[in-house]
Amino acid sequence: RPKLTKKKIPGVVYLSYIPPKMNVKTVRSMLSKFGELGRIFLQPENPNAKKARSFTEGWVEFADKKVAKCVANALNGTQVGGKRRADYYYSLWSIKYLHRFRWTHLNERLAYEKAVREQRLRTEIAQAKRESNFYIASVEKSKRMRREAKGKSDQAEPEEASIDIRQRPTDQQIVAKRARKGNDAERTGNSGADLSLLKNIFVSSASFEDDAKN
């Protein structure tokens, strides 16, 4: 009877440090020579970046948990190596086998961290909106108070006396004014002479009548 092959149970190792310039492709290339790999996830240093260039930690899934445990025990604390000109050549592996850890646990953790980040972002946005609205309201209140204070000060100030500023008359205006004065004086003199003449006539007539009566 053929022997029944025991189903392999995948295992996950945890990388607490990702050397510089190392990415998912590099990790897969360096660890796949020890055994069959499954999924790999490296945590970006900046989760909001479109293209991650540096990572803080990572998880690597091996098809067989026994292989994962052996790799973690063998590589932890050893030199990464690879190409001598690589930035990570002299770095050391910091790798640990996660006992009874499944990839679904990682998905749950990542989903939870994403929800926390989104909640924190919403809180920060709401706080920024409140601060902005408070600032706008304060500015409007300050403007309104200044307008009211200015209106009260304008009402309290006495009205300034109007200053009559007359323009100096021109030569033509002076000549015309003198001519008018001369005409007025001439008319006044003529009217005085006429009155004197009439007075003399009336006086003479009265004297003549008195003589006739006598």
Side-chain angles (χ1 to χ4, degrees):
R1 296 176 60 182
K3 293 183 179 181
L4 297 176
T5 57
K6 191 175 181 180
K7 184 179 180 180
K8 295 180 181 180
I9 300 175
V12 179
V13 296
Y14 172 67
L15 303 176
S16 60
Y17 168 71
I18 307 298
K21 300 297 181 66
M22 184 175 284
N23 52 29
V24 174
K25 183 179 179 180
T26 308
V27 173
R28 183 176 293 277
S29 175
M30 300 190 74
L31 296 182
S32 60
K33 57 187 177 182
F34 298 103
E36 183 182 355
L37 299 181
R39 290 161 287 190
I40 298 176
F41 176 77
L42 302 182
Q43 180 68 47
E45 186 175 3
N46 183 10
N48 298 324
K50 293 183 179 180
K51 186 176 181 180
R53 297 184 180 276
S54 57
F55 305 89
T56 57
E57 56 184 352
W59 292 261
V60 180
E61 183 185 42
F62 282 85
D64 190 349
K65 68 176 184 178
K66 293 181 180 180
V67 176
K69 187 181 296 185
C70 292
V71 170
N73 293 332
L75 294 183
N76 188 41
T78 62
Q79 184 177 339
V80 174
K83 295 182 180 180
R84 187 175 294 273
R85 290 181 297 179
D87 295 337
Y88 50 79
Y89 179 80
Y90 293 102
S91 299
L92 300 179
W93 286 108
S94 180
I95 184 170
K96 179 182 179 181
Y97 173 73
L98 300 178
H99 185 62
R100 294 183 179 179
F101 186 87
R102 299 292 178 265
W103 200 261
T104 54
H105 300 159
L106 177 60
N107 291 335
E108 293 173 358
R109 173 184 169 178
L110 296 177
Y112 172 75
E113 291 179 351
K114 182 180 179 181
V116 170
R117 286 196 303 270
E118 291 177 352
Q119 179 62 31
R120 186 183 300 114
L121 180 61
R122 286 194 295 268
T123 303
E124 292 175 355
I125 292 174
Q127 179 66 21
K129 287 183 177 180
R130 285 194 296 269
E131 293 177 356
S132 177
N133 293 335
F134 177 77
Y135 174 76
I136 293 173
S138 300
V139 171
E140 293 297 331
K141 183 178 179 180
S142 177
K143 289 181 179 179
R144 186 171 62 255
M145 293 177 65
R146 284 199 297 268
R147 287 196 298 266
E148 293 176 356
K150 184 178 180 181
K152 292 180 180 179
S153 62
D154 292 342
Q155 293 177 0
E157 290 180 358
E159 296 183 357
E160 297 181 356
S162 59
I163 301 175
D164 186 10
I165 301 176
R166 297 184 180 181
Q167 186 177 1
R168 183 178 180 182
T170 62
D171 294 340
Q172 294 179 355
Q173 292 175 345
I174 294 173
V175 172
K177 186 176 181 180
R178 289 178 179 176
R180 285 196 301 272
K181 287 183 178 180
N183 294 334
D184 293 340
E186 184 178 355
R187 285 195 298 272
T188 303
N190 293 335
S191 60
D194 294 339
L195 290 174
S196 299
L197 179 60
L198 291 174
K199 184 177 181 181
N200 292 330
I201 292 173
F202 285 123
V203 170
S204 299
S205 299
S207 299
F208 179 76
E209 290 178 357
D210 291 339
D211 292 339
K213 288 179 180 180
N214 293 329

